[in-house]
Amino acid sequence: GTWVKLMTLAASESIHYANAAAAAFKAGDAETTRHCVHALKGLARNFEAANLEGKAVQIETAGACRETITELLALADAWVTAAEAGTI
């Protein structure tokens, strides 16, 4: 019902933050990368997406690199897939 709809919307929003973080990282904009990752961390925390939240915390703590940004994108994508399938 409603929770699944909210979860799906939140998961879809996570893709936007992850893509924005990746674009900022690629452009060399560390501050925007950090802001996007921070926002994504909060969204993931509110909806108990622990894997995604953990990766965001890792990036906030240690900084972004190509590997962590790629992992962040994959986790956001997996969250959307699971939410749309109703398997969360």
Side-chain angles (χ1 to χ4, degrees):
T2 303
W3 178 250
V4 173
K5 287 179 185 178
L6 286 173
M7 181 70 73
T8 302
L9 287 171
S12 294
E13 188 65 18
S14 77
I15 292 292
H16 297 293
Y17 284 121
N19 284 333
F25 175 77
K26 185 176 181 180
D29 185 348
E31 186 65 18
T32 300
T33 302
R34 190 187 68 72
H35 282 292
C36 293
V37 169
H38 181 77
L40 182 54
K41 178 185 76 175
L43 181 67
R45 181 173 288 157
N46 287 332
F47 286 89
E48 300 177 1
N51 291 341
L52 186 56
E53 178 189 356
K55 185 55 63 180
V57 168
Q58 178 189 359
I59 292 169
E60 271 193 325
T61 303
C65 68
R66 186 175 314 152
E67 181 181 339
T68 57
I69 291 294
T70 299
E71 291 168 353
L72 186 77
L73 288 165
L75 288 167
D77 187 53
W79 188 25
V80 170
T81 301
E84 288 175 345
T87 58
I88 297 178

